[in-house]
C-alpha cells in the first residue's frame, strides 16, 4: 500500500482525533478530544508541525501518527502514536516509529559522552503496540500501576502529623518554588527529567485548574515557610469528575513521619468537597519507598498497568 509520511498540520486535528479514538477503543487506551489534543500539541517547545508526523493514504485519509518529543539536555526522548485498527499489519507503525527515531536524533545535540534514549508507553494489554515496539528495538524498562478510588463515602478532614501545617497555594508566589521542589523530590526516580518551567507550568495548570487542590505542607516547627511535602491534583483530562494526583512527594528530611499518607487523605477530602467523584494516580510498580502500599492503605486499588518501553538511539544509558 502506498503510504505517505508527512508533517502534521492543524487542519488534520479532527481526522487525527478520530484515528486516535478508534485505536483507543480497540486497545483499551484512553480517548481524547480535539480540545485536549490541541492543548497537548500546542504546549511550549514542542512545535507540532515539525515534530508530529501523520501517515496518509493516497486519497489523503489519515491512518496513523507519531510524535518526537525531547529533553535534549537530559538525553531523553518520548514518543506517542497509534495506527488505525483497519490499517494495521502493513508496516505503517514501523515506518512512523523509524521516522520519529530519526527526528529524535536530529533534535538532540549529540556529544560523544551523552546517550540518547527514547521511551514509549502502552497498556500491558495492548498486544498490537507491544509487538510493534519490540519489533522496532524497544524493550520494557518499567511498569506503572494506575490506581483508582471511588469517593463512595465521605472523608474526614485529615490533620497532618504534629509539626506540619498547610499553606495556601498562590500561583504567582509559589509556582516556581513548587516546580523546583518537585524536581528535588523526584530527581532519583527512574526515568525522571525535570522539564523547563514553562513546559511544567503548561502541563500543571490546565483549564479548570483549582488552587484548592494543591496542598503544600510546611514545617511549623521551623518557620512556617519551609516546604516539607506537596500533593498536587487537577481534573483528569478525559474524566472531568475524576481528580488526577501528580505529584505526591515528601522531601527527604521529612520522610517516614506519615506526611505523605496524610497529604493523600487530605487531598481526597478536598476533592470530594469540590465535587469530584473519584481520584487516580500512577506509581512505579517497583517503587522502593512503599508507595504502592501507602496508596492501598488509603483505599486505592490498581486499575490497570502501563508499560514503559525504551530504545537507546545513541551511546550507553546507565541503569
Amino acid at each position: 500500500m502506498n503510504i505517505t509520511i508527512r508533517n502534521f498540520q492543524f487542519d488534520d486535528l479532527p481526522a487525527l482525533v478520530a484515528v486516535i479514538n478508534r485505536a483507543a477503543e480497540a486497545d483499551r487506551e484512553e480517548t481524547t478530544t480535539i480540545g485536549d489534543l490541541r492543548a497537548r500539541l500546542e504546549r511550549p517547545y514542542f512545535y507540532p508541525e515539525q515534530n508530529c508526523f501523520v501517515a496518509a493514504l493516497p486519497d489523503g485519509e489519515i491512518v496513523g501518527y507519531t510524535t518526537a518529543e525531547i529533553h535534549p539536555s537530559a538525553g531523553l526522548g518520548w514518543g506517542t502514536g497509534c495506527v488505525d485498527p483497519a490499517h494495521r499489519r502493513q508496516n505503517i507503525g514501523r515506518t512512523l516509529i523509524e521516522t520519529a527515531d530519526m527526528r529524535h536524533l536530529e533534535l538532540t545535540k549529540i556529544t560523544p559522552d551523552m546517550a540518547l534514549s527514547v521511551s514509549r508507553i502502552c497498556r500491558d494489554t495492548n498486544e498490537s503496540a507491544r509487538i510493534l515496539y519490540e519489533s522496532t528495538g524497544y524493550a520494557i524498562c518499567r511498569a506503572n500501576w494506575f490506581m483508582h478510588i471511588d469517593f463512595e463515602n465521605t472523608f474526614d478532614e485529615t490533620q497532618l502529623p504534629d509539626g506540619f501545617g498547610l499553606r495556601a497555594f498562590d500561583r504567582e508566589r509559589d509556582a516556581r518554588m513548587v516546580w523546583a521542589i518537585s524536581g528535588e523530590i523526584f530527581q532519583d526516580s527512574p526515568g525522571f527529567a525535570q522539564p523547563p518551567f514553562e513546559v511544567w507550568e503548561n502541563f500543571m495548570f490546565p483549564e479548570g485548574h483549582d488552587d484548592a487542590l494543591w496542598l503544600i505542607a510546611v514545617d511549623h516547627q521551623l518557620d512556617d515557610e519551609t516546604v516539607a511535602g506537596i500533593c498536587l491534583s487537577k481534573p483528569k483530562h478525559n474524566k472531568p469528575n475524576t481528580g488526577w494526583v501528580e505529584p505526591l512527594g515528601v522531601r527527604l528530611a521529612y520522610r517516614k513521619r506519615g506526611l505523605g499518607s496524610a497529604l493523600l487523605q487530605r487531598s481526597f477530602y478536598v476533592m470530594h468537597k469540590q465535587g469530584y467523584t473519584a481520584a487516580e494516580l500512577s506509581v512505579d510498580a517497583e517503587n522502593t519507598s512503599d508507595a504502592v502500599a501507602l496508596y492501598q492503605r488509603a483505599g486505592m486499588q490498581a486499575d490497570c498497568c502501563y508499560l514503559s518501553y525504551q530504545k537507546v538511539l545513541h551511546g550507553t544509558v546507565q541503569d
Side-chain angles (χ1 to χ4, degrees):
M1 180 177 291
N2 186 15
I3 297 291
T4 299
I5 306 297
R6 62 168 175 81
N7 291 83
F8 164 84
Q9 302 169 1
F10 274 96
D11 288 345
D12 298 327
L13 269 176
L16 186 52
V17 167
V19 169
I20 291 171
N21 288 341
R22 284 196 293 271
E25 290 172 5
D27 300 327
R28 298 176 62 197
E29 300 280 3
E30 294 187 343
T31 58
T32 190
T33 65
I34 290 177
D36 284 341
L37 184 58
R38 179 182 289 276
R40 282 168 48 198
L41 295 175
E42 289 182 336
R43 64 192 180 278
Y45 303 118
F46 178 54
Y47 311 113
E49 291 164 311
Q50 300 173 32
N51 301 317
C52 180
F53 305 91
V54 299
L57 300 178
D59 63 2
E61 179 187 357
I62 293 174
V63 295
Y65 89 105
T66 191
T67 62
E69 308 172 50
I70 200 75
H71 191 311
S73 62
L76 297 175
W78 298 268
T80 59
C82 67
V83 175
D84 192 310
H87 295 277
R88 292 177 179 173
R89 298 181 179 85
Q90 300 176 48
N91 282 326
I92 297 172
R94 173 183 289 274
T95 304
L96 283 166
I97 286 180
E98 290 172 349
T99 300
D101 287 349
M102 290 299 297
R103 181 58 178 160
H104 277 115
L105 286 168
E106 293 172 0
L107 287 169
T108 308
K109 298 176 181 177
I110 294 297
T111 59
D113 59 346
M114 187 175 79
L116 169 62
S117 66
V118 176
S119 296
R120 290 179 175 271
I121 298 173
C122 69
R123 195 164 176 169
D124 64 342
T125 56
N126 188 341
E127 290 297 328
S128 176
R130 295 184 63 176
I131 291 170
L132 174 61
Y133 295 163
E134 291 166 13
S135 70
T136 51
Y138 285 76
I140 296 174
C141 61
R142 72 182 59 86
N144 279 67
W145 289 112
F146 273 40
M147 304 193 73
H148 179 97
I149 183 172
D150 288 314
F151 296 159
E152 297 175 344
N153 303 309
T154 58
F155 292 89
D156 294 329
E157 189 174 1
T158 305
Q159 300 302 310
L160 301 190
D162 290 344
F164 299 107
L166 289 174
R167 187 177 82 185
F169 174 78
D170 178 272
R171 182 171 179 177
E172 184 174 347
R173 179 192 64 193
D174 296 330
R176 282 190 177 273
M177 176 270 293
V178 172
W179 166 75
I181 288 176
S182 179
E184 172 197 319
I185 290 173
F186 297 102
Q187 61 184 338
D188 295 325
S189 299
F192 176 79
Q194 177 77 317
F197 174 74
E198 293 79 8
V199 174
W200 176 88
E201 184 179 38
N202 177 265
F203 176 75
M204 295 300 296
F205 294 93
E207 183 178 352
H209 169 79
D210 183 352
D211 283 355
L213 299 182
W214 280 38
L215 306 183
I216 313 297
V218 295
D219 185 342
H220 267 343
Q221 296 178 324
L222 189 61
D223 55 13
D224 284 343
E225 292 292 330
T226 299
V227 173
I230 55 176
C231 184
L232 314 181
S233 304
K234 60 183 179 180
K236 192 171 184 183
H237 70 91
N238 61 343
K239 296 180 180 179
N241 293 323
T242 296
W244 180 258
V245 181
E246 182 185 16
L248 164 63
V250 176
R251 299 175 85 176
L252 185 61
Y254 297 101
R255 293 175 186 171
K256 305 298 183 182
R257 303 190 198 181
L259 181 58
S261 177
L263 280 170
L264 182 62
Q265 292 282 2
R266 183 64 171 256
S267 75
F268 292 164
Y269 166 80
V270 173
M271 282 189 271
H272 184 259
K273 188 177 179 181
Q274 297 289 94
Y276 290 84
T277 59
E280 296 181 358
L281 54 74
S282 173
V283 59
D284 189 333
E286 297 183 2
N287 183 285
T288 59
S289 64
D290 200 35
V292 175
L294 182 154
Y295 302 145
Q296 290 173 330
R297 289 194 297 271
M300 305 193 82
Q301 296 181 340
D303 185 48
C304 58
C305 180
Y306 277 80
L307 303 175
S308 293
Y309 280 79
Q310 183 183 67
K311 180 179 181 179
V312 179
L313 297 183
H314 177 83
T316 302
V317 175
Q318 300 296 320
D319 293 333

